[in-house]
Amino acid sequence: MATLTLVPIQSRADHVLGGADLAAGETLYANNCASCHGADLEGQPDWRSPGPDGILPAPPHDENGHTWHHDSAMLFDYTKFGGQAALEARGVTGFTSGMPGFGDSLSDEEIRDVLAYIRSTWPEQVQDVQAARSHVPDEN
C-alpha cells in the first residue's frame, strides 16, 4: 500500500511563489490547465453547480473564482496530488473532487510556475489577501 506524504510549502519573508518563471507558467497553464479551467482562467460554465456525477465543474482561476481563497501550500498539493488526495490529507470528507493530480507530468518547479502565473493575473488586493494566507509569521 502506498503512503501519500504532503509537504507544506512555507515562507518567512517573500511569497512562497516569488521568483517563479511566469512566462513558463503561462505556457504550462495553456498546455495543462486551460482545457478545463479556460484559456482566460474563466472556468467551466455553472462551476458552482455539481454535474450529474456530483462533481463540480472546473472553477475559474481568475479573481472571480475561489482559488485565491486558499493558501499556496493547499494549491500546490491540489495540483500535484489531485483534489481528492489533497482534501483527504487535510481531513476533508464528503466532497468529491474532479481535479486530477499533475505530479507525474509536472515537476514541483513547474507547478509553482503555473500557480505563480495564475496568481500574477489577480488584482493586487486579491494577491494581498491570498499572500496573507500563504505566509508563516516571522519568529523574530
Side-chain angles (χ1 to χ4, degrees):
M1 179 173 168
T3 302
L4 174 66
T5 303
L6 302 179
V7 179
I9 303 170
Q10 295 185 348
S11 174
R12 293 275 181 220
D14 293 341
H15 191 277
V16 296
L17 300 176
D21 184 336
L22 298 181
E26 183 175 16
T27 299
L28 289 163
Y29 177 89
N31 293 335
N32 295 278
C33 313
S35 62
C36 292
H37 292 281
D40 295 319
L41 297 95
E42 73 276 12
Q44 294 178 335
D46 300 321
W47 64 274
R48 294 182 184 183
S49 301
D53 58 2
I55 298 174
L56 291 168
H61 284 317
D62 62 15
E63 73 275 9
N64 297 309
H66 61 82
T67 305
W68 61 272
H69 294 211
H70 302 290
D71 65 78
S72 294
M74 171 66 162
L75 297 175
F76 179 86
D77 290 347
Y78 218 88
T79 306
K80 182 171 182 166
F81 302 111
Q84 201 64 45
L87 291 171
E88 288 173 2
R90 287 168 174 74
V92 176
T93 60
F95 181 83
T96 303
S97 172
M99 172 73 176
F102 286 85
D104 291 337
S105 59
L106 297 176
S107 69
D108 289 1
E109 181 179 353
E110 289 172 323
I111 291 170
R112 286 186 193 98
D113 289 346
V114 169
L115 294 174
Y117 162 69
I118 291 168
R119 186 177 186 281
S120 76
T121 68
W122 302 334
E124 188 174 333
Q125 181 180 0
V126 171
Q127 288 186 38
D128 290 345
V129 170
Q130 197 273 336
R133 295 181 173 138
S134 296
H135 277 66
V136 175
D138 285 333
E139 295 177 3
N140 299 350

